[in-house]
Amino acid sequence: MPRPEVLDRIKQAEQEADEIVAEAESDREELISEARTAAEQIRAEAEEEAAELEESRLESAREEIEADRQRLLEEGADDRQRLRDEAESNVEEAVEYAIDRFEEAVHAQT
């Protein structure tokens, strides 16, 4: 093979090698970009799932707190009614006691 032909083939091979390297670099950059996009999407989905889980847990806690609040209010109302009933049942006794004490005081003065 004549020398100029060999040089042309070497140049052509180098050019093809440069094209292959450039294409490989382009592919690499594209793959990196796709991986970054996929990673960002995964991160965004994970953040969304975490926010949903947080909201779900907060809602459960709110419901539990509200149930406890209602239970305490009902217990308080029951206690208040029980005390009121006890007080009302003692009114007559207290009035009689007060009258007896008053009469004793009046008799003591006379």
Side-chain angles (χ1 to χ4, degrees), residues 70-84:
Q70 287 299 322
R71 182 184 49 80
L72 289 171
L73 288 173
E74 289 171 8
E75 287 175 4
D78 291 345
D79 289 345
R80 184 178 63 239
Q81 187 60 44
R82 182 183 49 79
L83 291 171
R84 182 176 286 149

Side-chain angles (χ1 to χ4, degrees), residues 78-97:
D78 291 345
D79 289 345
R80 184 178 63 239
Q81 187 60 44
R82 182 183 49 79
L83 291 171
R84 182 176 286 149
D85 292 345
E86 286 177 13
E88 287 176 1
S89 69
N90 292 331
V91 168
E92 284 186 34
E93 207 175 295
V95 168
E96 286 180 26
Y97 177 77

